[in-house]
Amino acid sequence: ILNVEQSPQSLHVQEGDSTNFTCSFPSSNFYALHWYRWETAKSPEALFVMTLNGDEKKKGRISATLNTKEGYSYLYIKGSQPEDSATYLCALGGSNYKLTFGKGTLLTVNP
Amino acid sequence: ETGVTQTPRHLVMGMTNKKSLKCEQHLGHNAMYWYKQSAKKPLELMFVYSLEERVENNSVPSRFSPECPNSSHLFLHLHTLQPEDSALYLCASSPGGGMNTEAFFGQGTRLTVV
């Protein structure tokens, strides 16, 4: 059974703060690493899909890094805004259609 | 709007009822999925269809029965469910089976079994 761990479980920050979360996974089972943002009453939406060790991806104020050898990925948000409030999900992609999700990090950005 | 539509958004059913959840995508994707999210648990994969053929059944009880009549539609037929089956059921699609491309999710059906 694959174990995808996310920390912290929840996080409260003030508007303008920068923040980051961690996703840990068994490095021997790596195929692809996904990050999704899930706002309340909406669909989970993909932020990044990363496959290469050392990969770094950026979308606006959000960026992610990947270390497949040690089995972790970081998601960074620079200058958090209230609209960034959401649950951020990490998932490990396999070659057989499977996405194994972590429990997510719930981010609340206070104005 | 992700291009994946689920109906209904909310469903309350008794334990002896039969109901169906519907999912539709017109993204041209070949793979479609059912996920379940229970309280305080991660998203759990239930079923995967690729090109209308079921390729994964993640040890799901037979009271859940999927159907994929074509590559754009996916159903989850529900029969004699238990209260512990109450959860959010999410449908997703992706271009292919290798999970190095993103999945597109619907908004989910909130199911309550009474």
Side-chain angles (χ1 to χ4, degrees):
Chain A
I1 298 176
L2 280 181
N3 222 17
V4 178
E5 299 285 343
Q6 289 190 249
S7 63
Q9 275 193 325
S10 64
L11 191 56
H12 290 252
V13 301
Q14 289 300 123
E15 184 174 354
D17 288 350
S18 293
T19 187
N20 65 84
F21 330 127
T22 305
C23 174
S24 304
F25 52 88
S27 57
S28 59
N29 288 305
F30 182 79
Y31 189 81
L33 193 285
H34 297 226
W35 281 101
Y36 290 84
R37 177 168 63 197
W38 194 359
E39 294 179 65
T40 303
K42 294 190 177 180
S43 318
E45 288 192 19
L47 290 171
F48 307 111
V49 179
M50 298 186 285
T51 57
L52 299 175
N53 184 43
D55 212 359
E56 291 188 28
K57 294 211 171 179
K58 188 174 180 182
K59 189 183 285 189
R61 295 179 290 99
I62 304 178
S63 59
T65 61
L66 177 64
N67 184 323
T68 60
K69 292 183 178 177
E70 295 185 30
Y72 64 83
S73 175
Y74 293 138
L75 187 79
Y76 300 92
I77 302 178
K78 186 177 176 182
S80 303
Q81 300 296 308
E83 58 265 30
D84 295 328
S85 297
T87 296
Y88 290 83
L89 297 172
C90 167
L92 198 63
S95 58
N96 55 347
Y97 303 90
K98 283 191 174 179
L99 266 182
T100 302
F101 281 86
K103 290 185 179 180
T105 293
L106 175 60
L107 173 67
T108 304
V109 182
N110 300 310
Chain B
E1 182 60 54
T2 61
V4 179
T5 305
Q6 287 187 245
T7 53
R9 294 288 308 278
H10 300 271
L11 178 62
V12 179
M13 61 185 287
M15 289 189 281
T16 57
N17 291 160
K18 287 184 184 180
K19 296 285 184 183
S20 296
L21 310 185
K22 180 182 175 183
C23 177
E24 189 171 348
Q25 59 92 7
H26 295 288
L27 300 169
H29 290 170
N30 291 327
M32 294 188 76
Y33 310 77
W34 281 115
Y35 282 89
K36 174 184 177 183
Q37 188 176 45
S38 307
K40 305 202 182 211
K41 287 188 176 181
L43 279 169
E44 299 171 68
L45 181 66
M46 298 175 74
F47 301 104
V48 183
Y49 277 81
S50 175
L51 297 171
E52 300 142 53
E53 181 180 333
R54 192 191 309 182
V55 296
E56 182 73 29
N57 176 346
N58 216 25
S59 303
V60 178
S62 60
R63 58 186 183 269
F64 295 91
S65 174
E67 179 192 1
C68 188
N70 55 62
S71 59
S72 298
H73 293 85
L74 184 66
F75 294 89
L76 187 62
H77 303 299
L78 314 172
H79 177 46
T80 59
L81 294 192
Q82 304 299 310
E84 59 264 29
D85 297 320
S86 299
L88 181 69
Y89 290 84
L90 282 167
C91 173
S93 69
S94 68
M99 292 311 293
N100 57 352
T101 56
E102 65 190 78
F104 291 73
F105 285 85
Q107 287 184 282
T109 296
R110 174 69 62 185
L111 174 68
T112 303
V113 181
V114 297

